[in-house]
Amino acid sequence: MYAEAVWRAHEVPSPEALEYVNQVRRRGFGVDIKTPNEAVDLKMMDGDKFAEALLAERSFELCFEGQRWYDLVRFGKLEEGVKKLAKYSSVATSQAQNFQPKHVIFPIPQDVIDASNGKIEQNPLWK
């Protein structure tokens, strides 16, 4: 997560961001996280490839922690991810066919809107 924050703050991949990704990779491969390792480390790359590498590393690192939806939304790849998954699941096929832009944000629960005395309105895409 910190590697992503550093990358987004600089708007280009930086050696610092790459080092944080590589430290996570080194730990995963069971080598010293502070010592560069050619067999494990990613090399410097351009912004689009770095974004893909970050997304892939997060999927490996957090595969069972329920973070993928948030990652795909943040990277603007939710629809692409749902359509890719549709190749492997009939449930995902239905979701891919029904995908709409509103699915990248949550609706505001109706009880919250009701309790706000008209001060909170539904997200525009969910009206």
Side-chain angles (χ1 to χ4, degrees):
M1 180 70 68
Y2 191 73
E4 181 184 345
V6 169
W7 165 61
R8 290 186 187 273
H10 293 123
E11 298 179 352
V12 293
S14 69
E16 180 185 14
L18 185 62
E19 177 58 21
Y20 286 117
V21 172
N22 283 333
Q23 284 180 10
V24 172
R25 288 179 57 85
R26 291 176 203 141
R27 190 199 72 234
F29 281 92
V31 298
D32 180 21
I33 67 167
K34 296 291 184 180
T35 305
N37 186 313
E38 291 237 355
V40 173
D41 290 359
L42 296 176
K43 309 290 184 251
M44 186 53 75
M45 56 195 84
D46 69 25
D48 290 339
K49 287 185 180 178
F50 190 75
E52 290 298 322
L54 271 177
L55 204 51
E57 289 302 318
R58 284 188 58 82
S59 74
F60 302 144
E61 186 70 15
L62 305 170
C63 61
F64 298 112
E65 297 187 21
Q67 298 296 313
R68 190 67 175 165
W69 184 87
Y70 300 101
D71 291 344
L72 292 173
V73 167
R74 216 172 41 257
F75 281 80
K77 298 198 177 267
L78 180 62
E79 184 173 8
E80 177 185 325
V82 169
K83 288 182 178 179
K84 249 187 218 178
L85 186 59
K87 295 176 186 175
Y88 307 103
S89 163
S90 61
V91 172
T93 300
S94 173
Q95 292 170 340
Q97 291 169 344
N98 295 315
F99 187 87
Q100 299 173 36
K102 71 180 184 180
H103 293 132
V104 299
I105 61 172
F106 288 120
I108 298 172
Q110 189 61 48
D111 61 330
V112 172
I113 294 170
D114 293 344
S116 75
N117 295 325
K119 293 180 182 174
I120 296 176
E121 293 183 14
Q122 185 56 266
N123 286 323
L125 294 174
W126 284 94
K127 286 187 176 183

